[in-house]
Amino acid sequence: MVMNKTNMVYTSVQKQPSDALNKRCLENKEKNGRSQTENQTETQTESQHEEDGRDKWSGNLDFLLSCVGYAVSITNIWRFPYLCYKNGGGAFLIPYVIFLLICVIPLIFIEYALGQFSSSSVLTVWKISPLLKGIGYGVLIASAIYCTYVNVIISWVLYFLYQSFTSVLPWSHCNNDWNTINCHDTHVYNTSSGIQNGPVYTSPFGIQNGTVTTNETKKTASEEFWTHNVLQITDGIENIGGIRLELLICLFVAWIIVFLCLCKGIKSSGKVVYVTVTFPYVVLLIFLVRAVTLPGAIDGIKYMFIPKWHKLISSQVWGEAALQIFFSTAVGWGGYITFASFNRFHHNLYREAILVPLINGGTSILAGFIAFCILGYMANIKGMHVADVVDQGPGLAFVAYPEAISTFPVSPLWAVLFFLMMLTLGIDTQFGTIETMHSALVDEYPKLLRNRKTLFMSAICCVGFLSGIPYVMNGGIYILQTVDWYVGLITPMIAAIMECILIGWIYGTEQFYDDLEMMTGKRPSCLWGIFWKFITPTSVVLMIVFNMIQFTPVSYGTYKYPSWAVGAGWIISFASVIPIPLYIIKDVWSAEGTILQRIKTRLTSDSDYGPAVEVNCTKQVELLRLTTTERMVNDSSKQLEKFEEKMI
């Protein structure tokens, strides 16, 4: 498609949504250097760079799978079952599904549209309302903190994976050096078939190495492997201990894997997700078949799906359900804006806005169902109630799931498959988190970083590795629990509220509808505006209120943290909130006019906010009406005449 930007502009003549938007579209090209050259062909418009200087997904499935991989993470395996287990099982599912429908789907729709329309990441996208750019910096800080401990979880997975390459899984018995007198062999195997013969203990008491242990002190082999071998845990955060060399090596390997997958950006990660996103579901389905056949599984299923209705009057249940749906779907963390910025301008984003949150919620429920089957099995073995089986915390996936694996025929093979699944889940999450940071800073400082993307990515990975070292010390689990407890407490929900206020009341739903129509050729239903203006922001505000009222300080199992550690947790939480008011003060101070004039001016979109490519300034339906021959006409007067004829 041959174009001369001085002679021809594609605009909507009869139904232009906003003359100011058209002007911004043209000025944008002059300011950011992304103007179309005078000799570009139509095939180049569909090329991987689409003339705006950004990589593009090679196909729609790349984008969908990357978003699913970003949303569905290791925390779906251990965090959702843990919170469901903690909050009375089925009662937790009701607020979880409600918030999924009224909050997450509308918010993901906003984030997709913002990123795709402007081809911008979490910092530059705030040209739509410069006064609120501090939200972008807050999200960036939260993502940076989050990515450091996600790779620590991946390092645990790598350690379990390494230990799985053996004929007998080390967590399947109590004959190891790290086992204590309280270790309980939950099963023995028929060596010819690998089928469980039954529990060792048939009474409330059991004999292990000549010592009597009660149900209250018994620990399974998998629990002791986790605490005494993997973590070599200390008695508290006050005693941090030394570095676990094996975990440090695993952490280094984890960052190497992440770098290799991301060194070429979405060109490489967009292909990797075809394996890393689909593989976990194959393994989960296999585990589902095995889990439902375990003795006692029905007790766990009942505990999950039969609601304790009195729990619904507890604000803690509603608050934690809200926080979890935000944490697991990654709303307000910037990843969806970043991924959508790599879409072609006219990509139909409605499908992903619905599918991704539904797939994520369904995966959490599936993982929870499997976990509760296993918890019911463990309760049956121990002669205890389901609610009393496992200590709370991220160790759930590293205790309950390994316990189930050890009951499988050829258990080492299944262990390898399971921990490969966990590895792929963790890597997919890191793709989105690190790409959010990388793209944000590259877009913000293009002259410095755009031609040094690989070097910059290596620097991010090096800093991430060094930041993860405290987590792999003997007491590192206490630090990780603290960070995980506080990092997503406030910032993502503040970002979500401000996105709704921005679209509903500042930028305006009608203008946003025009933007969506320009991209997709379809105008959204007015129901979306009702959610964005009223229902979604109100529900998110209530989420924050629920959490603040019922919030309890961080704990790990029965261990209670000292006050200074709780204070450190609050510092982590507010580290990503402080940039928001600081940037507002700075921006208002540097503007001109009275205070109200400055605020009004800086809340209004910058002149260079809009589509990054000049041809995208027209509505899609009108652009499609132009033939290839007509697009090659350089004389603007002839072009406008032909365009008006088509409109008639």
Side-chain angles (χ1 to χ4, degrees):
M1 176 171 60
V2 180
M3 293 187 64
N4 186 318
K5 70 173 183 178
T6 62
N7 293 330
M8 185 178 70
V9 177
Y10 291 130
T11 55
S12 173
V13 177
Q14 296 183 346
K15 295 184 179 180
Q16 177 64 24
S18 170
D19 292 337
L21 175 60
N22 180 43
K23 182 179 178 182
R24 292 201 304 268
C25 289
L26 302 182
E27 291 177 350
N28 184 25
K29 314 305 159 304
E30 300 291 344
K31 290 190 176 185
N32 64 19
R34 294 179 181 177
S35 302
Q36 293 172 291
T37 60
E38 294 184 2
N39 296 293
Q40 289 177 312
T41 64
E42 188 169 3
T43 55
Q44 285 176 321
T45 302
E46 298 300 324
S47 69
Q48 194 147 357
H49 287 272
E50 207 178 49
E51 299 96 13
D52 65 356
R54 295 179 70 81
D55 291 338
K56 298 296 177 186
W57 300 107
S58 60
N60 293 339
L61 194 57
D62 294 18
F63 172 58
L64 175 61
L65 290 178
S66 295
C67 290
V68 171
Y70 176 61
V72 179
S73 66
I74 289 178
T75 57
N76 288 77
I77 303 299
W78 66 259
R79 189 178 179 89
F80 176 84
Y82 152 60
L83 289 176
C84 197
Y85 159 87
K86 174 183 176 183
N87 290 288
F92 183 78
L93 298 178
I94 296 174
Y96 182 84
V97 173
I98 290 174
F99 285 121
L100 172 67
L101 296 176
I102 69 173
C103 292
V104 172
I105 292 178
L107 285 168
I108 288 182
F109 194 3
I110 288 179
E111 296 190 356
Y112 278 159
L114 288 174
Q116 182 171 311
F117 183 73
S118 62
S119 296
S120 301
S121 51
V122 293
L123 291 181
T124 52
V125 76
W126 289 101
K127 290 177 182 178
I128 190 174
S129 187
L131 188 67
L132 304 178
K133 190 175 181 178
I135 297 173
Y137 284 107
V139 168
L140 202 63
I141 292 172
S143 295
I145 297 172
Y146 176 65
C147 80
T148 59
Y149 80 80
V150 169
N151 253 29
V152 174
I153 298 175
I154 295 176
S155 71
W156 297 341
V157 172
L158 287 172
Y159 184 80
F160 269 89
L161 182 62
Y162 171 76
Q163 293 287 344
S164 299
F165 288 98
T166 179
S167 58
V168 179
L169 294 176
W171 58 83
S172 65
H173 59 86
C174 294
N175 299 322
N176 303 290
D177 294 338
W178 60 80
N179 290 129
T180 68
I181 60 174
N182 294 321
C183 185
H184 170 213
D185 275 322
T186 56
H187 61 272
V188 295
Y189 288 102
N190 181 314
T191 56
S192 62
S193 63
I195 303 299
Q196 180 185 346
N197 287 331
V200 173
Y201 299 104
T202 56
S203 67
F205 297 88
I207 305 297
Q208 180 68 31
N209 297 329
T211 304
V212 177
T213 61
T214 66
N215 280 334
E216 286 70 27
T217 59
K218 288 190 296 185
K219 296 290 184 181
T220 64
S222 62
E223 289 177 90
E224 291 210 340
F225 178 80
W226 168 244
T227 57
H228 301 326
N229 181 273
V230 179
L231 300 178
Q232 296 184 15
I233 193 170
T234 60
D235 55 359
I237 197 171
E238 304 92 339
N239 179 17
I240 198 66
I243 295 176
R244 290 276 291 111
L245 182 59
E246 297 92 335
L247 294 182
L248 182 66
I249 294 172
C250 291
L251 181 64
F252 179 77
V253 172
W255 278 108
I256 291 294
I257 294 173
V258 169
F259 172 74
L260 293 176
C261 292
L262 289 176
C263 63
K264 293 186 178 180
I266 64 170
K267 293 179 181 178
S268 54
S269 66
K271 301 306 178 186
V272 173
V273 292
Y274 281 83
V275 175
T276 58
V277 174
T278 57
F279 179 75
Y281 290 97
V282 175
V283 178
L284 280 175
L285 290 175
I286 294 172
F287 269 80
L288 175 64
V289 173
R290 180 66 179 115
V292 295
T293 63
L294 293 171
I298 189 63
D299 297 328
I301 294 172
K302 289 179 180 179
Y303 193 86
M304 177 177 182
F305 285 104
I306 298 178
K308 294 181 173 63
W309 296 110
H310 68 277
K311 288 279 188 178
L312 291 177
I313 64 175
S314 170
S315 60
Q316 180 176 349
V317 174
W318 288 82
E320 292 199 359
L323 185 60
Q324 169 59 14
I325 195 62
F326 266 79
F327 197 90
S328 66
T329 55
V331 172
W333 290 82
Y336 297 119
I337 294 176
T338 301
F339 280 154
S341 72
F342 299 122
N343 277 337
R344 291 181 174 81
F345 185 79
H346 295 301
H347 172 75
N348 191 333
L349 51 83
Y350 290 92
R351 176 185 58 194
E352 287 85 0
I354 302 296
L355 280 180
V356 170
L358 291 180
I359 292 173
N360 177 79
T363 304
S364 293
I365 294 173
L366 174 62
F369 182 88
I370 296 171
F372 272 92
C373 288
I374 296 169
L375 291 175
Y377 163 70
M378 295 177 68
N380 179 268
I381 292 298
K382 289 186 173 185
M384 301 169 67
H385 192 268
V386 175
D388 301 321
V389 176
V390 181
D391 286 340
Q392 301 171 353
L396 181 62
F398 297 98
V399 175
Y401 280 100
E403 182 71 21
I405 289 170
S406 64
T407 68
F408 277 54
V410 197
S411 56
L413 172 62
W414 298 110
V416 169
L417 288 175
F418 174 76
F419 290 111
L420 281 175
M421 177 196 72
M422 296 281 281
L423 176 63
T424 57
L425 288 172
I427 290 175
D428 286 337
T429 302
Q430 286 294 68
F431 287 169
T433 306
I434 295 178
E435 189 59 51
T436 295
M437 297 187 296
H438 182 265
S439 295
L441 294 174
V442 168
D443 288 351
E444 185 73 3
Y445 306 103
K447 293 182 180 180
L448 177 64
L449 299 174
R450 194 173 293 279
N451 295 324
R452 301 179 178 89
K453 289 184 179 180
T454 302
L455 180 62
F456 183 46
M457 182 63 74
S458 65
I460 290 176
C461 292
C462 287
V463 173
F465 169 71
L466 295 176
S467 302
I469 292 178
Y471 297 112
V472 295
M473 302 179 76
N474 296 114
I477 184 64
Y478 299 110
I479 301 175
L480 186 145
Q481 181 79 344
T482 304
V483 175
D484 179 63
W485 199 280
Y486 289 96
V487 69
L489 184 63
I490 300 175
T491 303
M493 286 187 280
I494 290 178
I497 292 171
M498 295 312 300
E499 287 170 1
C500 291
I501 294 175
L502 170 67
I503 297 304
W505 302 101
I506 299 175
Y507 189 70
T509 53
E510 288 302 317
Q511 180 61 66
F512 198 59
Y513 290 163
D514 289 338
D515 295 348
L516 287 163
E517 187 177 7
M518 189 185 299
M519 287 190 291
T520 66
K522 291 187 260 183
R523 197 169 185 82
S525 166
C526 61
L527 291 176
W528 288 106
I530 296 174
F531 276 102
W532 295 330
K533 281 186 173 183
F534 305 107
I535 299 175
T536 301
T538 301
S539 59
V540 177
V541 169
L542 290 176
M543 292 180 192
I544 296 178
V545 173
F546 287 151
N547 277 288
M548 293 301 101
I549 292 176
Q550 292 294 329
F551 184 79
T552 57
V554 59
S555 61
Y556 181 75
T558 57
Y559 172 73
K560 302 299 181 183
Y561 282 69
S563 57
W564 65 265
V566 175
W570 281 110
I571 292 174
I572 292 171
S573 181
F574 281 100
S576 55
V577 177
I578 292 175
I580 301 174
L582 288 182
Y583 193 89
I584 291 175
I585 295 171
K586 175 258 182 189
D587 203 48
V588 171
W589 181 267
S590 60
E592 297 180 354
T594 65
I595 295 296
L596 290 179
Q597 288 174 338
R598 295 179 186 187
I599 294 174
K600 183 178 179 180
T601 300
R602 299 307 292 162
L603 282 174
T604 305
S605 302
D606 273 352
S607 59
D608 58 349
Y609 175 74
V613 182
E614 189 172 308
V615 70
N616 289 333
C617 292
T618 183
K619 294 182 183 180
Q620 184 191 40
V621 65
E622 294 163 354
L623 179 61
L624 291 176
R625 290 175 179 173
L626 301 177
T627 66
T628 302
T629 302
E630 289 167 335
R631 296 186 191 190
M632 297 176 65
V633 178
N634 292 324
D635 183 19
S636 61
S637 61
K638 292 181 180 180
Q639 176 64 36
L640 290 175
E641 289 176 6
K642 291 179 179 289
F643 188 84
E644 290 173 349
E645 291 174 2
K646 292 290 182 181
M647 292 298 297
I648 296 174

